[in-house]
Coordinates of all heavy atoms in Angstrom, one line a residue:
D509 N 0.8 -1.2 0.0 CA 0.0 0.0 0.0 C 0.9 1.3 0.0 O 0.5 2.2 -0.6 CB -0.9 0.0 1.2 CG -2.1 -1.0 1.1 OD1 -2.3 -1.5 -0.1 OD2 -2.7 -1.3 2.1
A510 N 2.0 1.2 0.7 CA 2.8 2.4 0.8 C 3.4 2.9 -0.5 O 3.8 4.1 -0.6 CB 4.0 2.2 1.8
V511 N 3.5 2.0 -1.5 CA 4.1 2.4 -2.8 C 3.1 2.3 -4.0 O 3.5 2.7 -5.1 CB 5.3 1.5 -3.1 CG1 6.3 1.5 -2.0 CG2 4.9 0.1 -3.5
K512 N 1.9 1.9 -3.7 CA 0.9 1.7 -4.8 C 0.6 3.1 -5.4 O 0.5 4.1 -4.8 CB -0.4 1.1 -4.2 CG -1.3 0.5 -5.2 CD -2.4 -0.2 -4.5 CE -2.0 -1.4 -3.7 NZ -3.1 -2.1 -3.0
G513 N 0.7 3.1 -6.8 CA 0.5 4.3 -7.5 C 1.7 5.1 -7.8 O 1.7 6.0 -8.6
R514 N 2.8 4.8 -7.1 CA 4.1 5.5 -7.3 C 5.2 4.6 -7.9 O 6.0 5.0 -8.6 CB 4.6 6.0 -5.9 CG 3.7 7.0 -5.3 CD 4.4 7.7 -4.1 NE 4.7 6.7 -3.0 CZ 5.9 6.5 -2.6 NH1 6.9 7.2 -3.0 NH2 6.1 5.6 -1.6
F515 N 5.1 3.3 -7.5 CA 6.1 2.4 -8.0 C 5.6 1.4 -9.0 O 4.4 1.1 -8.9 CB 6.7 1.5 -6.9 CG 7.6 2.2 -5.9 CD1 7.7 3.6 -5.8 CD2 8.3 1.6 -4.9 CE1 8.5 4.3 -4.9 CE2 9.1 2.2 -4.0 CZ 9.1 3.6 -4.0
T516 N 6.4 1.0 -10.0 CA 6.0 0.0 -11.0 C 7.0 -1.0 -11.1 O 8.2 -0.7 -11.4 CB 5.7 0.7 -12.3 OG1 4.7 1.7 -12.2 CG2 5.2 -0.3 -13.4
I517 N 6.6 -2.3 -11.0 CA 7.5 -3.4 -11.2 C 7.2 -4.0 -12.5 O 6.0 -4.1 -13.0 CB 7.3 -4.5 -10.1 CG1 8.4 -5.6 -10.2 CG2 5.9 -5.1 -10.1 CD1 8.4 -6.5 -9.0
S518 N 8.2 -4.5 -13.2 CA 8.1 -5.1 -14.5 C 9.3 -6.1 -14.7 O 10.2 -6.1 -14.0 CB 8.1 -4.1 -15.7 OG 9.3 -3.4 -15.7
R519 N 9.1 -7.0 -15.7 CA 10.2 -7.9 -16.0 C 10.4 -8.1 -17.5 O 9.4 -8.0 -18.3 CB 10.0 -9.2 -15.3 CG 8.8 -10.0 -15.8 CD 8.5 -11.2 -14.9 NE 9.6 -12.2 -15.0 CZ 9.7 -13.2 -14.2 NH1 8.9 -13.3 -13.1 NH2 10.7 -14.1 -14.3
D520 N 11.6 -8.3 -18.0 CA 11.9 -8.6 -19.4 C 12.5 -10.0 -19.4 O 13.7 -10.2 -19.0 CB 12.8 -7.6 -19.9 CG 13.1 -7.8 -21.4 OD1 13.0 -8.9 -21.9 OD2 13.4 -6.8 -22.1
N521 N 11.7 -11.0 -19.7 CA 12.2 -12.4 -19.6 C 13.3 -12.7 -20.7 O 14.2 -13.5 -20.4 CB 11.0 -13.4 -19.8 CG 10.1 -13.4 -18.6 OD1 10.5 -13.0 -17.5 ND2 8.9 -13.8 -18.8
G522 N 13.3 -11.9 -21.8 CA 14.4 -12.2 -22.7 C 15.7 -11.7 -22.2 O 16.7 -12.2 -22.5
K523 N 15.7 -10.6 -21.4 CA 16.9 -10.0 -20.8 C 17.2 -10.5 -19.4 O 18.1 -10.1 -18.8 CB 16.8 -8.5 -20.8 CG 16.8 -7.9 -22.3 CD 16.8 -6.4 -22.2 CE 16.7 -5.8 -23.6 NZ 16.6 -4.4 -23.6
R524 N 16.2 -11.4 -18.9 CA 16.4 -11.9 -17.5 C 16.6 -10.8 -16.5 O 17.4 -10.8 -15.6 CB 17.6 -12.8 -17.4 CG 17.4 -14.1 -18.4 CD 18.7 -14.9 -18.3 NE 18.9 -15.5 -17.0 CZ 18.5 -16.7 -16.7 NH1 17.8 -17.5 -17.6 NH2 18.7 -17.2 -15.5
T525 N 15.7 -9.8 -16.6 CA 15.8 -8.5 -15.8 C 14.5 -8.2 -15.2 O 13.4 -8.3 -15.8 CB 16.3 -7.4 -16.7 OG1 17.6 -7.7 -17.3 CG2 16.4 -6.1 -15.9
V526 N 14.6 -7.7 -14.0 CA 13.4 -7.2 -13.2 C 13.7 -5.7 -12.9 O 14.8 -5.3 -12.5 CB 13.1 -7.9 -11.9 CG1 11.9 -7.4 -11.3 CG2 13.0 -9.4 -12.2
L527 N 12.7 -4.9 -13.2 CA 12.9 -3.4 -13.0 C 11.9 -3.0 -11.9 O 10.8 -3.5 -11.8 CB 12.6 -2.6 -14.3 CG 13.5 -3.0 -15.5 CD1 13.0 -2.2 -16.7 CD2 14.9 -2.7 -15.2
L528 N 12.3 -1.9 -11.2 CA 11.4 -1.2 -10.2 C 11.5 0.2 -10.5 O 12.5 0.9 -10.2 CB 11.7 -1.5 -8.8 CG 10.8 -0.9 -7.8 CD1 9.4 -1.6 -7.9 CD2 11.4 -1.0 -6.4
R529 N 10.5 0.8 -11.1 CA 10.4 2.2 -11.4 C 9.8 2.9 -10.2 O 8.7 2.6 -9.9 CB 9.6 2.5 -12.7 CG 9.5 4.0 -13.1 CD 10.8 4.6 -13.5 NE 10.6 6.0 -13.8 CZ 11.6 6.8 -14.2 NH1 12.9 6.2 -14.4 NH2 11.4 8.0 -14.6
M530 N 10.5 3.9 -9.7 CA 10.0 4.6 -8.5 C 9.9 6.0 -8.8 O 10.8 6.7 -9.1 CB 11.0 4.4 -7.3 CG 11.3 2.9 -7.0 SD 12.4 2.7 -5.6 CE 13.9 3.4 -6.2
N531 N 8.6 6.5 -8.7 CA 8.3 7.9 -8.9 C 7.9 8.6 -7.6 O 7.5 7.9 -6.6 CB 7.2 8.1 -9.9 CG 7.6 7.6 -11.3 OD1 8.7 7.7 -11.7 ND2 6.6 7.0 -12.1
S532 N 7.9 9.9 -7.6 CA 7.4 10.7 -6.4 C 8.0 10.2 -5.1 O 7.3 9.9 -4.1 CB 5.9 10.6 -6.4 OG 5.3 11.1 -7.5
L533 N 9.3 10.0 -5.1 CA 10.0 9.4 -4.0 C 9.8 10.3 -2.8 O 9.9 11.5 -2.8 CB 11.5 9.2 -4.3 CG 11.7 7.9 -5.1 CD1 13.1 7.9 -5.8 CD2 11.6 6.6 -4.3
K534 N 9.8 9.6 -1.6 CA 9.6 10.3 -0.3 C 10.8 9.9 0.6 O 11.4 8.9 0.4 CB 8.3 9.9 0.3 CG 7.1 10.1 -0.5 CD 5.9 9.5 0.2 CE 4.6 9.7 -0.6 NZ 3.4 9.1 0.1
P535 N 11.1 10.8 1.6 CA 12.2 10.4 2.5 C 11.9 9.0 3.2 O 12.9 8.3 3.4 CB 12.1 11.5 3.6 CG 11.6 12.7 2.8 CD 10.6 12.1 1.8
E536 N 10.7 8.7 3.4 CA 10.4 7.4 4.1 C 10.6 6.2 3.1 O 10.6 5.1 3.6 CB 9.0 7.4 4.6 CG 7.9 7.8 3.6 CD 7.5 9.2 3.8 OE1 8.4 10.1 3.9 OE2 6.3 9.5 3.7
D537 N 10.9 6.4 1.9 CA 11.3 5.4 0.9 C 12.8 5.0 1.1 O 13.3 4.1 0.5 CB 11.0 5.8 -0.5 CG 9.6 5.9 -0.8 OD1 8.8 5.1 -0.4 OD2 9.3 6.9 -1.5
T538 N 13.5 5.8 1.9 CA 14.9 5.5 2.0 C 15.2 4.1 2.7 O 14.6 3.8 3.7 CB 15.6 6.6 3.0 OG1 15.6 7.8 2.3 CG2 17.0 6.3 3.3
A539 N 16.0 3.3 2.0 CA 16.2 1.9 2.5 C 17.2 1.2 1.5 O 17.5 1.8 0.5 CB 14.9 1.1 2.5
V540 N 17.6 0.1 2.0 CA 18.3 -0.8 1.0 C 17.3 -1.7 0.3 O 16.4 -2.3 1.0 CB 19.3 -1.7 1.8 CG1 20.0 -2.7 0.8 CG2 20.4 -0.9 2.5
Y541 N 17.3 -1.7 -1.0 CA 16.3 -2.4 -1.8 C 16.9 -3.7 -2.3 O 18.0 -3.7 -2.8 CB 15.8 -1.5 -3.0 CG 14.8 -0.5 -2.5 CD1 15.3 0.6 -1.8 CD2 13.5 -0.6 -2.8 CE1 14.4 1.6 -1.4 CE2 12.6 0.4 -2.4 CZ 13.0 1.5 -1.7 OH 12.1 2.4 -1.3
Y542 N 16.2 -4.8 -2.1 CA 16.6 -6.1 -2.4 C 15.7 -6.7 -3.5 O 14.5 -6.7 -3.4 CB 16.6 -7.0 -1.2 CG 17.6 -6.6 -0.1 CD1 17.2 -5.8 0.9 CD2 18.9 -7.1 -0.1 CE1 18.0 -5.4 1.9 CE2 19.8 -6.7 0.9 CZ 19.3 -5.9 1.9 OH 20.2 -5.5 2.9
C543 N 16.3 -7.4 -4.5 CA 15.6 -8.1 -5.4 C 15.6 -9.6 -4.9 O 16.6 -10.1 -4.3 CB 16.4 -8.1 -6.8 SG 15.7 -9.0 -8.1
A544 N 14.4 -10.3 -5.1 CA 14.3 -11.7 -4.6 C 13.5 -12.5 -5.6 O 12.7 -12.0 -6.3 CB 13.7 -11.6 -3.2
A545 N 13.7 -13.8 -5.5 CA 13.1 -14.8 -6.4 C 12.4 -15.9 -5.6 O 12.9 -16.3 -4.6 CB 14.1 -15.4 -7.3
S546 N 11.2 -16.3 -6.0 CA 10.5 -17.4 -5.4 C 10.0 -18.3 -6.5 O 9.4 -17.9 -7.5 CB 9.3 -16.9 -4.6 OG 8.5 -18.0 -4.1
R547 N 10.4 -19.6 -6.3 CA 10.0 -20.6 -7.4 C 8.6 -21.1 -7.2 O 8.0 -21.5 -8.2 CB 11.0 -21.8 -7.3 CG 10.9 -22.8 -8.4 CD 12.2 -23.4 -8.8 NE 12.1 -24.1 -10.0 CZ 12.2 -25.4 -10.1 NH1 12.5 -26.1 -9.0 NH2 12.0 -26.0 -11.3
D548 N 8.1 -21.1 -6.0 CA 6.8 -21.8 -5.7 C 5.6 -20.9 -5.4 O 4.5 -21.3 -5.3 CB 7.0 -22.8 -4.6 CG 8.0 -23.9 -5.0 OD1 8.0 -24.3 -6.1 OD2 8.8 -24.3 -4.1
S549 N 5.9 -19.6 -5.2 CA 4.8 -18.8 -4.7 C 4.4 -17.7 -5.8 O 5.2 -17.2 -6.5 CB 5.3 -18.0 -3.5 OG 5.6 -18.9 -2.5
G550 N 3.1 -17.4 -5.7 CA 2.6 -16.4 -6.6 C 2.7 -15.0 -5.9 O 3.2 -14.9 -4.8
V551 N 2.3 -14.0 -6.6 CA 2.6 -12.6 -6.1 C 1.8 -12.4 -4.8 O 2.4 -11.6 -3.9 CB 2.3 -11.6 -7.2 CG1 3.2 -11.7 -8.4 CG2 0.8 -11.6 -7.6
I552 N 0.6 -12.8 -4.7 CA -0.1 -12.5 -3.4 C 0.5 -13.3 -2.2 O 0.6 -12.7 -1.1 CB -1.6 -12.9 -3.6 CG1 -2.2 -11.9 -4.7 CG2 -2.4 -12.7 -2.3 CD1 -3.6 -12.2 -5.0
T553 N 0.9 -14.5 -2.5 CA 1.5 -15.2 -1.4 C 2.8 -14.6 -0.9 O 3.1 -14.5 0.2 CB 1.8 -16.7 -1.8 OG1 0.6 -17.3 -2.1 CG2 2.5 -17.5 -0.7
I554 N 3.6 -14.1 -1.9 CA 4.8 -13.4 -1.6 C 4.5 -12.1 -0.7 O 5.2 -11.9 0.2 CB 5.5 -12.9 -2.9 CG1 6.1 -14.1 -3.6 CG2 6.6 -12.0 -2.6 CD1 6.7 -13.9 -5.0

């Protein structure tokens, strides 16, 4: 909920890349950001 409407996640399977586009950044967005993979879980479970 904290990022809905400001961040966009996408992937390019041909380039094996995941992107996170972050707009309207706020000081509370300050953090270390980690990419992660799950073989067995869908997005809601994650």
Side-chain angles (χ1 to χ4, degrees):
D509 288 343
V511 306
K512 200 172 295 182
R514 299 188 297 123
F515 290 12
T516 302
I517 188 171
S518 62
R519 65 190 291 164
D520 184 332
N521 287 339
K523 296 181 179 179
R524 301 174 65 96
T525 300
V526 183
L527 301 176
L528 184 68
R529 178 69 179 178
M530 305 184 293
N531 295 328
S532 302
L533 282 161
K534 305 175 181 180
E536 51 263 43
D537 293 319
T538 295
V540 177
Y541 283 72
Y542 297 91
C543 180
S546 174
R547 189 148 188 245
D548 297 323
S549 297
V551 296
I552 295 178
T553 301
I554 290 171

